[in-house]
Amino acid sequence: MAAQINPSILSADFARLADEAKAVEGADYLHVDVMDNHFVPNLTLGVPVVESLARATDTPLDCHLMIEAPDRWAPRYVEAGASSVTFHVEAAAAPVRLAREIRAQGARASMALRPATPIEPYEDLLPELDMVLIMTVEPGFGGQAFLDIMLPKIRRTRELIGKHGLQMWLQVDGGVSAATIERCAEAGADVFVAGSAVYGAGDPAEAVRGLRAQAEAVTRTAAWACGH
Ligand code: DX5
Ligand code: ZN
C-alpha cells in the first residue's frame, strides 16, 4: 500500500517559506507545526502564515496544532486553507465535537497523542477521525532522537484501526529518517512526517522520494497492510 511523506517546514528556512514549499513539491502534504509557547515550550507561526502558505503552494497543508484551546482555534486553520488539521487530545476540551466541526468544514480531522498519552482511552473516538498522529518525540522541536519506546503504541493503534475496520491514516512525527522509517512502517504507520531528514538533506525532493521508497518497500508486505 502507498506510504505518504509529509515534510515538516519547522526545519525549513522561515524567511523563504514559499521556495521551501516548492522544494518538496512531490510530497503528499506539507506539515505545518503551529506552536503557541504554552502547550509546548516553543513558538512558531499562526493563521496569517498558513493563509500565505496556502496561496504559495499547491501541496495540501497538514497543520499540526501544538496549542492550548484547539477547540477555539482549529476551525480558523481550516478557513486559512489547511486540508488536514491535527489537534492534541490532551488540550482539546471536546474532541468529538471538534473533529466533527473540522470535518463539517471540509477538512480531514486528526488527533495527536504525546508520548505519555495512551491510545486505549480514545478507541471509541477513532471513527470520528481521518488520522491519528502518534508523536515519536516530545513535541516542541525538530531534530530530536526518535523514541523507539513508541513502537508498541503504533502497533496497538494499527490493531485498533483494523479491529474497527477503519480506513483512517496513522501518522508518525519526530525523528523519522532513513534510519527509523522502516521500523515505523513495520509497526503500522502509513503517513510519515520528516523535518530534518528532508530539509537537512542536500536535495529535499530526493529525500522525500527516498523515504517514500523505503516506507513502501515495507508497507507492500507488512502483515498489517494485507488486504488494504
Ligand atoms: C515536533 C514537530 C515535528 C518536527 C519533526 O514537535 O511536531 O513535526 O518538525 O522534526 P524532525 O523530523 O526533525 O524530528
Ligand atoms: Zn509536527
Side-chain angles (χ1 to χ4, degrees):
M1 77 174 276
Q4 300 185 49
I5 307 296
N6 300 359
S8 168
I9 56 157
L10 187 61
S11 296
D13 179 352
F14 274 26
R16 301 173 42 251
L17 278 186
D19 292 339
E20 297 281 61
K22 285 195 178 70
V24 293
E25 248 162 14
D28 298 279
Y29 283 79
L30 202 58
H31 185 83
V32 180
D33 288 304
V34 177
M35 305 186 189
D36 66 353
N37 214 17
H38 291 275
F39 184 73
V40 289
N42 198 3
L43 186 66
T44 54
L45 52 85
V47 167
V49 175
V50 172
E51 276 170 352
S52 296
L53 203 50
R55 281 195 296 270
T57 178
D58 292 332
T59 307
L61 304 183
D62 165 39
C63 282
H64 176 194
L65 306 184
M66 285 161 277
I67 61 174
E68 300 289 1
D71 304 72
R72 177 178 171 201
W73 290 106
R76 297 277 302 275
Y77 286 88
V78 183
E79 287 166 15
S83 300
S84 176
V85 175
T86 299
F87 59 85
H88 269 266
V89 71
E90 304 89 351
V96 173
R97 187 170 63 210
L98 180 55
R100 289 185 179 184
E101 196 174 343
I102 293 168
R103 280 176 153 183
Q105 287 181 290
R108 296 178 63 87
S110 162
M111 175 180 81
L113 275 58
R114 302 183 81 131
T117 305
I119 185 65
E120 285 77 9
Y122 305 106
E123 175 178 351
D124 293 341
L125 271 57
L126 295 179
E128 300 286 338
L129 299 159
D130 298 296
M131 184 168 81
V132 171
L133 163 53
I134 304 294
M135 290 303 301
T136 42
V137 297
E138 287 291 354
F141 302 93
Q144 301 181 76
F146 179 78
L147 293 174
D148 269 291
I149 55 169
M150 291 298 107
L151 289 169
K153 183 157 74 175
I154 298 169
R155 263 187 215 105
R156 293 196 303 272
T157 304
R158 176 53 69 183
E159 280 166 17
L160 292 176
I161 292 170
K163 174 181 160 190
H164 291 273
L166 301 169
Q167 294 302 314
M168 64 192 303
W169 299 343
L170 202 174
Q171 185 179 59
V172 286
D173 180 10
V176 176
S177 69
T180 58
I181 194 166
E182 287 162 351
R183 271 175 277 167
C184 294
E186 189 276 325
D190 56 0
V191 181
F192 306 86
V193 176
S196 45
V198 169
Y199 283 107
D203 181 345
E206 180 55 34
V208 169
R209 286 192 290 273
L211 288 169
R212 188 186 285 122
Q214 272 188 290
E216 286 186 347
V218 176
T219 55
R220 256 197 300 276
T221 54
W224 64 262
C226 288
H228 277 254

